[in-house]
Amino acid sequence: MNDVLKDLYYGRIAPSEAPASYEYRAALKKVIKLEEKLLEDLSPNLKKTFLEFCDASSQLSSVDAFDNFKAGFKLGAKITLESLFEPEK
């Protein structure tokens, strides 16, 4: 366990840099294609609003992803503690 913590601390483990799945790459490709089409068709004023929307949506997704990561990490820790310290029956 000590080596894992040390590797994580020194940046030798970077979970966020794991290769993207096929599903993720396919969804990203679709989003990019649709965004390009929208940007071609929008007026300059609507284009600005759309890009602001995209930025806000990205920020929301980032906060949501972190909240889910934190909740999952806490749940994993609780499961580990319970499995290690549950009284024998």
Side-chain angles (χ1 to χ4, degrees):
M1 178 65 162
N2 215 6
D3 291 338
V4 172
L5 289 176
K6 191 182 286 186
D7 288 346
L8 185 61
Y9 179 80
Y10 287 109
R12 293 186 288 258
I13 297 174
S16 63
E17 295 177 6
S21 68
Y22 169 79
E23 292 84 2
Y24 178 87
R25 290 191 312 271
L28 180 60
K29 185 176 179 179
K30 184 175 182 178
V31 166
I32 290 170
K33 191 176 197 177
L34 290 170
E35 182 178 342
E36 288 171 349
K37 182 167 177 21
L38 267 171
L39 289 173
E40 287 173 9
D41 296 341
L42 291 176
S43 68
N45 191 38
L46 284 176
K47 189 181 291 190
K48 181 179 181 288
T49 302
F50 174 70
L51 291 173
E52 289 172 357
F53 168 80
C54 288
D55 287 342
S57 181
S58 179
Q59 289 174 353
L60 178 61
S61 291
S62 180
V63 169
D64 185 48
F66 176 73
D67 287 348
N68 287 328
F69 171 80
K70 187 168 62 172
F73 191 86
K74 287 180 178 182
L75 178 59
K78 286 178 184 179
I79 290 169
T80 301
L81 286 172
E82 189 172 301
S83 68
L84 292 173
F85 299 108
E86 184 175 348
E88 294 288 327
K89 293 181 181 178

